[in-house]
Amino acid sequence: MTSASPSPKSPEVSEKSKKYDRQLRLWGDHGQNKLERSQVCLINANATGTEILKSLVLPGCGSFVIVDGHRVTQEDIGNNFFLDVDSLNKSRAECAVRLLLELNADVAGEAIADHPDSLLNTDPKFFNRFTVVIGCHLGERVLATLSKVLWESGIPFLHVQTTGMIGWIRIQQNEHTIIESHPDNPKSDLRLDVPFPELVSHMDSIQLENREDTVKTPWLVLLYKALKSYISQGRQNENVSDCSPPERYPFSGKQKTEFKNYLREFLRSVGLEDMDDSFEEALKAVNTAILRTTVPDEVKAILEDAKTSKPENKFWILCAALKEFINDRDGQLPLRGVLPDMTADSEKYIKLQNVYRDKATKDANEIFDKACQIMKQSGKQGLSITVEEVRLFCKESHNLRLIRGYPIHEELASSPNSVLVDLAQNMEECDQELMFYIILRAHLRFHNEYSTYPGSDDSETDISRFKTTMMKMLNEWNTSVVAREDCIHEICRYGGAEIPSVAAFVGGTAAQEVIKIVTNQYVPLDNTFIYNAITSTTRSLKLAADL
Amino acid sequence: MGSKAGDSVDIPPERHAHVRKLLERPGPFTHPEFEPSKEAFDGFSSIVRVLIVGAGGLGCELLKNLSLLGVKQLHVIDMDTIDISNLNRQFLFRMTDVGSSKSETASKFINGRVQGAQVVAHHCKIQDKDSEFYRSFHVIVCGLDSIVARRWLNSMVCSLVEYNEDGSVKEETLIPIIDGGTEGFKGNARVIMPTMSPCIECTLDLYPPQVNFPLCTIANTPRLPEHCIEYVRILQWPKDNPFETETAIDGDDPNHINWIYEKSLERASQFGITGVTYRLTQGVVKRIIPAVASTNAVIAAACATEVFKLATSCSIPMDNYMVFSDVEGIYTYTYKAEKKENCIACSRSVTTLEFPLEVTLQRVIDYLKEDPDYQMKSPGVTAIVNGRNKTLFTHVIEQTKANLSKKMTELGIINNEVITVADETTPVARDFKITYKDAGMES
Ligand SMILES: [Zn+2]
C-alpha cells in the first residue's frame, strides 16, 4: 500500500458465519438471508418428511411448522430418526418438532397436531402464510385441494413420496424467476466480434513491438490483434458459399481451425515462440473466446414475455429495462465485465480488466436509470432497487431463467400424454422410471379407493385389486400402454413401506429444491422427479397441459 | 426411560415393519440368491458387520441410515474432532460437542437414539488398524474427503483378497467397498467389488491432481486475489515469521488468517487487484471445499441403499458408479466404470515401467509421483541387488539422497529387474518391473 494508514482491520467473524461457512460459499450471505426469512410447512412427518426438514433446519431455514394428525407407531420409530422410543403413541408432529429443533438453535419450529383437510375446512387460508409447503404421502383428494389453494395463492408446493425403492418428487410453482442460476460452464462475454469503443481504443493503444513485451501481454490482446488483421485481409471469405451471408468472424469449427493456422503465424510474427504460455493460451482460447455475441434463446423468451410490458415485481421491472437496453444496443446484452485469468504482466492484465469492468458498470448504470423510470411509469415506486442489485442482474443477464409451472390438480385430472406416448413407443425396452410414474398415479388412486396401500397386508390379493385400479385408469386415459407385470408386483411387494435410505435420498434432493426456491439461486427441478433405487437411476420429467 | 445401546431388550417386530416387507416377500427384481423369509430381517440385522470410514458429513448420515435399516454391528473410524463449520451438515453434533471426537460423539448419539444399535467408535487413523481389523467386516463404507486415505483403504481391502491355487479368487475374502464423495452440489457413489469391478486405483484419473498457481505468477505477476493470498501464504509468511519463528500456518487460528488477510489486501492494492476478502483468504489457505447438508444426505443414502442390497440380496447392487448433481434440476448418471487390466491395487500382474537406459532414480521417482495412473506422494524404493535387499531411496534416510542423481543401472537395476515401492497411498508395497528402451539389442 502506498499510504501510511494502518492495515485494514479484519472483520469480526460471527459464530453464525463460522457455522454456515461451507454453504455460504455456495449461495452467499444474500442467499442465506433469504433462507433465514423462509417459513416452511411440512404436512406429515413421516421418514421422508423429517429427512426433508433435517436438510432445511441444518442450513438454517427461518422456521418450520409440522402439520400431522397422526400418533407415533412402532413402525414410525423404526424408520424415522426424528422419533424415539419415548415418542410412542404421542403426537407425531410434536415429537418430530422437538427432535428436529435439536439440530439448530437458530431455527424455530411449531407442531400442529391436526390433519391438513380439517385445517383447510376450518381455515382455508391457513397455508397462505408460508414461503413453501411440502406435503408427504398425501391422499389424492387432499393433494388436489391443496394444490388448488396453493396455486391460487402463488405459494410453491412440493409433493414428495417414497414407496419401497421408488421415490417421487413433484414441484408446483406458478412462476419462478432466477437471476443467479450458477451455470457450470458460463460462456465468456468478451465482445471480440463487436468490440465496444473503449475496448477498441485500449487495444489500439497497445503496440506489440518486441518479444520482451509481447510475452507479458494477455492473450486477449493478441487474439484481438490477430483477428483484426485476419478480417482486414479478407481471409475469412475464402470458403464461404454464396447462399449464406459471409461470416466475418471465425465462429464455426472449420473456420476456427483455419484461423488457428493464421494465429500461429501471427504470434510468431510478433516475436512469440511456440512454447510461450501466451502462445499456447491464445490458441486454446480460440474455441471459447471467439463467440458470436447474442442474446441466448432462454433470455430472449423471457424478454418477450407479456410481463415485461406490465411488470409487477423487481425481476420483471429489470427485464423491462433490459429489453429497452437491448433495443437501444442492436441486440446486445449489458457486458458481463468478467475476464478470465491469463498469463500476463499484472499491470497489462489489470488495465484490460478495468476496460471491461468500467464498461460493465456503465451498462449497469444505464439499466438502473431505465429501471427507475419504468418503476415510476408502472406505479411501482414502492419497490426499491439498488445499484448493486442491478449490477448483479446485468452480470447474470446471460443466465436468467424462468420456470412456469403446471398445477398438480390439473395433472391428476388428466392423462399424462407425453409420458404415455414415450412409453407406447418403447414398450419393449421401456424406461422403468416412466412406468413407475404411471404406477404411482394408480397407487394414489388405489389409496383413495381402499384407504390403504397396495400390499399393506397380503400382497397377493392386493396385486389383483391394484391391477383393476390400474386398468381402469389406463382405460380412462384411452391409451394402448400396458402396465408392466413386474413393476406392478414390485410396487405391491412394498406395501407402502418407506425404506429409511430411500427416504433419505429423496428427502435430501427435495430439501435442496426448497432451498433453490427460497434463495432464488440455482435451477429447481421442473417439475417431476422419479428415483429408482432398484437400479440406482433417476428420471426427470416436465409434465404439462396438452397444447 | 428408553432403553439404551447394548441392552438386550426385545424390540417389537413391527418396529422394522417397513424394512421387513422387502425381506419377507419375493419380487421380480431381486438378486437370484434372495430368499424371502420371516427370519431374513433378524439374520441381516444381527449378523452383518459394517465398517463406516469417516464420521463426517457422509459418516453421520451413514450411521443413521444403516442403523435405521437394522444393522446392529456398526463400527466407525475417524481421527478428527468436531469443528464449528461441521455443524451445518454433520447433524449428530451440537455446538457443545465442538472439540470432541467425531467417531465417539456420533456413536454415542446413535446408540442413544436407535434402540438396539451397538455402534463401536474407533478414534484413530485408518492406518493404525491392521488387516485383521479390516478383514472382520462384511462391507466397508467409505465417506472420506481425503484421496490419499481413500487410496490407502482401497489398497488395504484389495490386499485382503486371497486366491486359490488355480488362480481364481476365494470369494469369501472379497469385501465390497461402497465409496461416496461430495463437493458442493455434486457427488458420487460407487460399489467396488475388489478384483471384479474397478477399484479406486483403476479409476485414479477421476481424481485429477490439484492444480497450483505457477510460482512465478504468485511472485511476479499476480492478477487475481487468489494470487495475492498464495503469495502471502507461501512466500511472505516464512520470511516475516509473524508469530513465532518457524510457526506453521494454522488455518483454524483466526490470528493467522487475519494476518494473511491483511497482508494479502496490501499486496492486492499494490497491484490494483480487487476481491480479497476474509472468506476467500480462509478458503484459499485451508483449501476449503463447499459442503451442504442435502448433498451429503443424498450420497450417503445412495451408499446405504447399496449396502442394504449387498447384505440382503433384496435387489441387485449397482454396477458400479453413479454421479449426482443438483445445480440444475436433479441430475444423475449411472454407468459401468471400466476396470484397469494391470491395476497396481486389484490385479495380480506386476506392472512394467519402460525408461531410457540412462534414466536416473530421481526420474523414476518423479514419474511415479506425476503419472496420473500412480500419483504417489513420497515413494521410497527398495530392490534386491546381488541377492541383498537394498534401500535405494527413502526420504527418512539422508544418505540415500545421494542415489537420486545416479542412473538406475549404476544402482544395480539391470533390465527386467523388479523394484519395490512404498508410499503413503498404500499399506502394501508395490512391485514394478523396470525395462530399458533398446535394452534387448544391447544384451
Ligand atoms: Zn484396481
Side-chain angles (χ1 to χ4, degrees), chain B residues 199 202 343 346:
Chain B
C199 78
C202 285
C343 171
C346 71

Side-chain angles (χ1 to χ4, degrees), chain A residues 10 23 51 54 74 81 184 341-342 344 346 357 401 455 457 493 498 501 512 516 523 533 536 538, chain B residues 15 18 22 25 61 64 88 113 186 222-223 258 262 274 294 305-306 309 326 328-329 332 334:
Chain A
S10 293
Q23 69 199 41
E51 280 293 339
K54 175 178 110 263
Q74 286 287 4
F81 196 73
D184 269 339
D341 186 34
M342 49 193 88
S346 303
R357 284 188 178 177
R401 300 292 287 266
D457 296 319
R493 175 188 178 208
E498 263 190 303
S501 59
Q512 196 55 46
K516 291 182 201 171
V523 185
S536 311
T538 69
Chain B
R15 176 78 56 82
H18 289 271
L22 245 63
R25 297 168 173 187
E61 290 282 337
K64 171 205 64 181
N88 80 327
R113 176 66 57 87
K186 295 175 182 171
R223 298 172 299 271
N258 267 348
E262 286 167 12
T274 54
S294 63
T305 299
E306 295 307 322
K309 291 186 198 172
D326 57 6
E328 179 167 0
T332 66
T334 306

